Every structure is written in C-alpha cells, then in structure tokens.
Amino acid sequence: MSTRELQDLARDIAVEAAALARARREEGVRIAQSKSSPEDIVTAADREVEAFVRSRLAELRPADGFFGEEGGAESGSSGLTWVVDPIDGTVNYAYGIPNYAVSVAVVEGEADPHTWTGLAGAVVNPASGETYLGARGEGATLNGRTLHRGDVHVDLNLALVATGFSYSAERRMWQTGIMQQMMGRVRDYRRMGAASLDGVGVAAGYTDVYYEVGTKPWDHAAATIIAREAGIRVEGIRGAAPGAELVLGALPSLFDEVHDLLIEFGIEG
C-alpha cells in the first residue's frame, strides 16, 4: 500500500474508534485501574477501544505488527507496525474535558521511535470532530484543509508554548522549574493534557512550540508524522529522534533557540 492508502486506513479506523470512545464517554466512565501512580488511570473504554482497533487491523492487515498503550507490542512479518493510543488524554476523558484523542500511526520497523520510520498517521478528537491526517511525502490536513507552517516566522517572545507533565509529583515539580525559567522568554504556556493533540496543535497553528519529557511512543507517533508533513521540525535532544528524553516540535524558525534554552534550563535532567 502507498503511504496515502495507509493514511486513509488509519483515518477510517481512528474515526470508528473515536465514535466508540465518544459513545462510552456519554454513557459514563468507569476507571479500570491505576498504572504508574494513582493519578495515572486507565478506563474500561481505553481497553475496549484498543481491542476494537487491534481487531480491525488484524482483519485488514494481519501481517503487520501492533504496539498499543494497553496491550503491548506484537511483531509482524510485513515490516510495518501500527502504533496506537486508544484514548490519549485519559484524565481529560474521565473528567469530561473535550480534549482527548484517538491516535493511530503506522511505521516502518519495530516498536522503537529511535529506529522506526513514520509512514502515516491519524489523530482524531472525538469531542470536537477534528481529524488530523499525515502521510510521508503527501502533506498534512485538518478536516481536509492543508496544514503547512514551515515558513512561518514567530519571535520567541511572541511564541505560544504547549507542554505536558508527568504523573509523578516529584517529576512534575522538576518540569515546572523548567517552565518557570522559560516563561519569561515566551508569550505564554498552554497545558491541555493530551500529547497527540499538543503535537498536531503546532501544525494547526494553535501553538508555536510543543515540548514534553517522558512521553511514550504511542503518545507522539502519529502526531510526529503529521506535524513534520506540515513543515514543523520535530526532534529529540541534540538531533536524536523524539522519544522519552524529549519530544520537541516547533516552527523551524524557533526550534534551535527553544532547544538550546531547554538544555540550558536542565531538560536533560
């Protein structure tokens, strides 16, 4: 399949999964368990939506691998792996805050963002109906509208920055310290609670910079593909692939300056 065909498949499955997630939200949320901390929750809907996506892909692409937040990684024989976050922004979802997403990406390689090549992705916000799509070499769209911000210039003091925080209280305090140092250099911050939507938000023009430490591969797989296709520069620390150490997506005119400030302010821990 071409990257555009893979994108269309990711879109179709993500839209169906988003409808299921929204239906379960309207019925009421049941917390299934906590994960890394009491604040890090998983709902019954997370598991149901991931099971739905996994079953659809097993039917349509049985030779592909699968890497989901709730079910772990399974290798395939095709060389492609689907990377899925069934409900990104679970705390928002549990509280009824309309900023959560279904994220579906397909990559070439195994389930490691440092070695895979992103091919196509879809990020769908069930509450707003926003559908972000991107395919390698084919560009990015939001509800059919082309996204491209690669040639936009914004001075750092006028840049709006998005970030996210750890479920660990100790880690959050460290992250807040970095934000405090950066706050005086930029227009303002936004903390919206869903990494995939933060990642594509730079492409959409909602923000100019997004960075976060501690993300998982499924948090940023689709968003990175989409943002890059929209002309956003997305990397990790010192030119590495985006990953747990850092995901930084920014307008190209801002990237180096923000990257260097984050290092100066201690992002490497």
Side-chain angles (χ1 to χ4, degrees), residues 109-125:
E110 295 297 322
D112 180 355
H114 293 93
T115 60
W116 74 38
T117 299
L119 299 179
V123 174
V124 179
N125 181 336

Side-chain angles (χ1 to χ4, degrees), residues 154 158-162 186-190 206-210:
V154 174
L158 298 178
L160 188 61
V161 179
V186 301
R187 181 192 294 274
D188 205 349
Y189 264 77
R190 295 293 181 267
Y206 296 149
T207 57
D208 304 302
V209 175
Y210 160 65

Side-chain angles (χ1 to χ4, degrees), residues 12-103:
D12 292 347
I13 292 175
V15 167
E16 292 179 56
L20 175 59
R22 181 167 182 169
R24 294 296 180 262
R25 173 89 255 311
E26 291 171 352
E27 293 168 4
V29 174
R30 180 171 66 85
I31 306 302
Q33 69 175 64
S34 295
K35 294 191 286 186
S36 63
S37 71
E39 296 83 10
D40 184 8
I41 58 173
V42 57
T43 70
D46 284 274
R47 293 174 172 174
E48 183 180 3
V49 172
E50 182 167 313
F52 168 80
V53 173
R54 184 187 289 265
S55 67
R56 291 285 285 132
L57 287 168
E59 173 190 352
L60 298 169
R61 300 280 305 178
D64 295 350
F66 186 89
F67 187 29
E69 178 175 13
E70 308 308 329
E74 293 181 3
S75 296
S77 59
S78 69
L80 303 185
T81 302
W82 292 83
V83 186
V84 175
D85 194 337
I87 300 178
D88 179 34
T90 301
V91 173
N92 285 351
Y93 184 76
Y95 275 80
I97 298 170
N99 198 75
Y100 62 94
V102 175
S103 176

Side-chain angles (χ1 to χ4, degrees), residues 6-7 10-11 104-106 119-123 132-135 221-223 225-226:
L6 289 168
Q7 172 198 275
R11 175 201 62 206
V104 177
V106 57
L119 299 179
V123 174
Y132 297 85
L133 303 175
I225 296 165
I226 295 164

